[in-house]
Amino acid sequence: PTPPYLRWAESLHSLLDDQDGINLFRTFLKQEGCADLLDFWFACSGFRKLEPSDANEEKRLKLAKAIYKKYILDNNGIVSRQIKPATKSFIKDCVMKQLIDPAMFDQAQTEIQSMIEENTYPLFLKSDIYLEYT
Amino acid sequence: YKSDDDLLLKCIGSAMPKRR
């Protein structure tokens, strides 16, 4: 069978599907000062998994606000700088009007994912940290 | 109430693949 670290080079999803791959990628991103990109990507996935129900409405609202505050509100943040202004105002609107939808971060997540796929993921595959691991 | 950071960490963890 193919060793995990070779599968990580096949696609971003193969990398993000493996806990060791995530850990190594995050260490690399941390060195580059952009671990927030990965944290945000996973936060969006985790948020989407929270099914709307009467029991967790408050939690979903609190979580949506927390994601918004930490990654999107500060325009100088690494995540915020990679998200289109229209996408940011859409999320801001959802939070302000308390219209909490499981898909409200989907577009922002897609934009961050494209940036990772085009930029940090190829750099990771060429990095010392990955080459030493292999 | 849990802090925002705690909530975020749990959310991020919930999206990660389970260890084999």
Side-chain angles (χ1 to χ4, degrees), chain A:
Chain A
T2 322
Y5 56 81
L6 288 182
R7 267 187 284 117
W8 301 346
E10 285 168 10
S11 71
L12 179 64
H13 276 281
S14 326
L15 176 68
L16 300 186
D17 212 28
D18 186 277
Q19 193 65 54
D20 293 332
I22 295 166
N23 290 343
L24 198 69
F25 189 38
R26 196 172 186 284
T27 306
F28 167 74
L29 292 175
K30 213 169 171 188
Q31 275 179 5
E32 303 292 309
C34 50
D36 273 3
L37 294 172
L38 193 63
D39 293 347
F40 176 74
W41 191 90
F42 278 111
C44 293
S45 296
F47 180 79
R48 193 169 42 239
K49 283 168 90 177
L50 269 181
E51 292 287 333
S53 80
D54 290 345
N56 67 12
E57 278 321 277
E58 206 179 331
K59 185 181 176 188
R60 291 174 65 246
L61 178 61
K62 204 167 154 40
L63 185 58
K65 278 184 182 166
I67 295 173
Y68 173 69
K69 246 170 71 184
K70 176 149 177 121
Y71 299 108
I72 296 167
L73 185 60
D74 174 11
N75 284 321
N76 293 317
I78 183 94
V79 174
S80 189
R81 275 189 277 136
Q82 304 296 336
I83 299 176
K84 293 184 180 126
T87 309
K88 286 194 270 190
S89 41
F90 167 76
I91 294 169
K92 185 181 178 182
D93 248 36
C94 292
V95 170
M96 295 302 158
K97 294 176 183 158
Q98 307 203 354
L99 297 168
I100 306 304
D101 185 274
M104 64 182 277
F105 293 106
D106 283 9
Q107 175 60 27
Q109 185 184 28
T110 303
E111 288 170 22
I112 292 301
Q113 187 181 311
S114 309
M115 188 268 171
I116 293 175
E117 274 170 337
E118 284 158 26
N119 189 322
T120 49
Y121 173 62
L123 285 177
F124 167 71
L125 296 177
K126 283 184 249 165
S127 69
D128 290 346
I129 202 168
Y130 176 69
L131 296 177
E132 274 164 26
Y133 188 93
T134 59

Side-chain angles (χ1 to χ4, degrees), chain B residues 5-17:
Chain B
D5 280 346
D6 198 34
L7 205 61
L8 277 171
L9 274 179
K10 280 214 173 97
C11 173
I12 289 167
S14 77
M16 299 237 175

